[in-house]
Amino acid sequence: MRALHCFAALTLALAPVAAGAAPLPKPEEIAEADERVLLPRLAAAIDGDESAEESLASLDRLLAELTRPTRLRGIVQFVRAGLLTQQQEELEGREAIRESIRLLPGYSGPLFFASQLYAFTDQPGPATDYLLRAIEIDPVLVNVIGDYEIGNLLRRLAEASDDRRAEALSERLLESGWSQGRSSTISSMAMRVLEARLDRGDVQGAAKMVPKLVTPSGFARLLTRKKFLPLREHVFDWAGPRLEKQWPIYLDQARAEWEVSHDLDAGLDYAQALAAAGHDATLAATFLPLFQREISAADYRLIFIAPVVATGLARLGRWDEAFDLFEHALRVWPAGESALAINLTGNRAKLLASRGEFEAAVTAFDKVLEEAARWGGEVNGGALRAIHLYRACALEQLGRTDTDMISMAIVAQRRAIEPISFVYLQLCANDLESARETFLNALKNEATRGDVIGVMQPADEEPLDSAFSRTMAERWRRLRSDKRLIAAVREYGTILSEPVNAGAPDERIPAAEGAEVY
């Protein structure tokens, strides 16, 4: 929640200097005559040397004296919302920011803050609505919101299957000239807009989005779904039939964004690009050194890079280095001290399961679920379901599904809307026939059809270096080779003849100074 408080402070700092509509009014300009005596106390609560608890107590006393629905009360509630969320009082924080919005109509600051608060308590619908209202009031201020925040909101909307809001937000940000988005986020938003326009029959409008796509996975989607056939020639012209034109662009742009900024969000994009290309040695050589030095808590974006690098190391058979990476990071962000640490503990537990250490994995997953329960809505639902998925598979391998069915039941509840997860569990149990039937049923549903077509493409990554991972990869290969399933997929799309990263350039391991050339 520290990020939310910082966002509130940033909005206050911008208020006196923002061009156009200010995100917040200056307290001294909107205070009514009898309220002006309170201004020094408000300033002390905001800018003084008090602790968060002391500042909150001061604001509570001010609030008790501001008994009318004035704009100054709206500012007090705005600041209280930031402090309350910092103190993990999300319900009171939401109540405070809603009143601030009511008392400060026409100002974007409370709306921007409400968007962040609702997003990080896993309520992406209201978060998007508040953000769209804020952009309408003050389109310039949208550029204080970083790529991570927008990416988080779009991911949560996807998990909630809220396509309408995801499309509206994507189109609005693309139109507004949002400057903080990196290539992967812009590409994801462009795909949403492209698909929505095509669904409306606007082929020309959809084609205009093709040059905004950067990630090869987006182009692969266009090449494998029949609905995108009207755009196929545009894709061939821009990216090449094997995406051989796009892969170097994608890798070079991701690398450039990382090397120019050394911003860890850009680093995550580059790490994911290398993993997608199958360039695990380059991934390890580039990013493993970041985890072999002293890490500062300010480098918390490394929490998201760690699983990508560790998985690449596991594919290379460098398991000890993968687990050492997690242990080093967990010394900086210990389990139980923040919701973010679950990205480390959860992925470490998954890696244990992938290596075939099922007993240790179940114990680790149980601890992760205990952690998650402490943080409530700060841990998004998709992450929790993934934990239960891999825990259920580990229990299956141990023969303990009859005595512990909680994780299995949670995965099964989402079978209709997350068929790939359920098929993973069926393959974990070596039930290929049931897995085929799950996919055949999912193909009948337009909402899940695209996911099935995507996973039926030739595998574009090597399994991790373990007997269990190779066994699971072989089961997936057998499922993808099922003739009845292939015929059903071809009613709705195309199965490529080679993996989507077959057109990627050959890997060139970084030189000693850390530069590589494609």
Side-chain angles (χ1 to χ4, degrees), residues 215-441:
T215 56
S217 60
F219 285 100
R221 182 178 174 85
L222 298 184
L223 291 177
T224 56
R225 275 66 157 179
K226 276 189 177 180
K227 67 180 295 183
F228 297 119
L229 274 174
L231 300 175
R232 181 152 296 190
E233 290 305 315
H234 293 282
V235 173
F236 286 170
D237 289 344
W238 185 264
R242 302 175 68 241
L243 308 183
E244 69 279 3
K245 298 178 185 177
Q246 191 63 26
W247 270 107
I249 293 172
Y250 175 45
L251 290 165
D252 286 343
Q253 184 167 333
R255 183 187 61 197
E257 289 177 355
W258 161 242
E259 291 182 347
V260 168
S261 69
H262 279 277
D263 174 82
L264 291 175
D265 284 339
L268 175 59
D269 273 359
Y270 185 37
Q272 291 172 331
L274 291 169
H279 293 183
D280 288 323
T282 304
L283 171 64
T286 303
F287 290 101
L288 186 57
L290 298 182
F291 296 91
Q292 295 172 329
R293 58 175 174 78
E294 185 175 349
I295 301 174
S296 164
D299 297 329
Y300 69 93
R301 295 293 203 269
L302 285 174
I303 290 173
F304 306 104
I305 298 176
V308 184
V309 181
T311 303
L313 289 167
R315 277 193 293 268
L316 295 169
R318 295 161 61 177
W319 289 95
D320 289 345
E321 292 174 273
F323 286 112
D324 285 346
L325 180 156
F326 280 123
E327 294 308 316
H328 187 48
L330 282 165
R331 284 194 287 272
V332 182
W333 300 284
E337 290 194 4
S338 75
L340 289 177
I342 292 174
N343 290 279
L344 299 172
T345 54
N347 280 288
R348 180 184 178 279
K350 177 185 173 184
L351 211 60
L352 286 169
S354 298
R355 196 179 189 182
E357 299 181 30
F358 304 116
E359 195 70 59
V362 171
T363 299
F365 281 129
D366 288 344
K367 291 180 179 178
V368 173
L369 291 171
E370 289 178 12
E371 287 178 58
R374 293 181 54 191
W375 302 105
E378 288 189 59
V379 182
N380 71 65
L384 281 176
R385 289 192 297 276
I387 291 167
H388 281 291
L389 170 64
Y390 295 111
R391 180 178 182 271
C393 181
L395 288 167
E396 170 68 38
Q397 298 305 305
L398 293 169
R400 285 169 46 188
T401 52
D402 290 341
T403 58
D404 188 341
M405 299 186 66
I406 295 174
S407 290
M408 169 73 84
I410 288 173
V411 177
Q413 283 176 352
R414 304 274 296 187
R415 177 178 184 173
I417 54 179
E418 293 181 358
I420 294 173
S421 293
F422 197 73
V423 163
Y424 178 91
L425 207 50
Q426 291 172 317
L427 293 182
C428 181
N430 200 22
D431 188 353
L432 270 71
E433 183 176 347
S434 294
R436 179 186 63 185
E437 293 305 313
T438 298
F439 268 0
L440 287 171
N441 288 329

Side-chain angles (χ1 to χ4, degrees), residues 171-192:
E171 187 140 27
R172 190 67 185 87
L173 288 171
L174 291 172
E175 289 176 353
S176 72
W178 176 54
S179 64
Q180 301 300 308
R182 295 189 313 281
S183 55
S184 60
T185 306
I186 296 297
S187 185
S188 175
M189 293 194 302
M191 175 59 74
R192 291 181 182 280

Side-chain angles (χ1 to χ4, degrees), residues 65-80:
E65 297 180 48
L66 291 166
T67 57
R68 302 192 310 277
T70 63
R71 288 183 291 174
L72 188 65
R73 181 181 170 98
I75 290 180
V76 170
Q77 287 287 50
F78 176 86
V79 183
R80 282 185 74 248

Side-chain angles (χ1 to χ4, degrees), residues 151-183:
N152 170 72
L153 184 52
L154 289 171
R155 281 191 299 274
R156 292 179 188 251
L157 287 170
E159 288 167 6
S161 301
D162 195 340
D163 295 333
R164 180 184 62 81
R165 283 189 173 100
E167 178 203 341
L169 178 60
S170 297
E171 187 140 27
R172 190 67 185 87
L173 288 171
L174 291 172
E175 289 176 353
S176 72
W178 176 54
S179 64
Q180 301 300 308
R182 295 189 313 281
S183 55

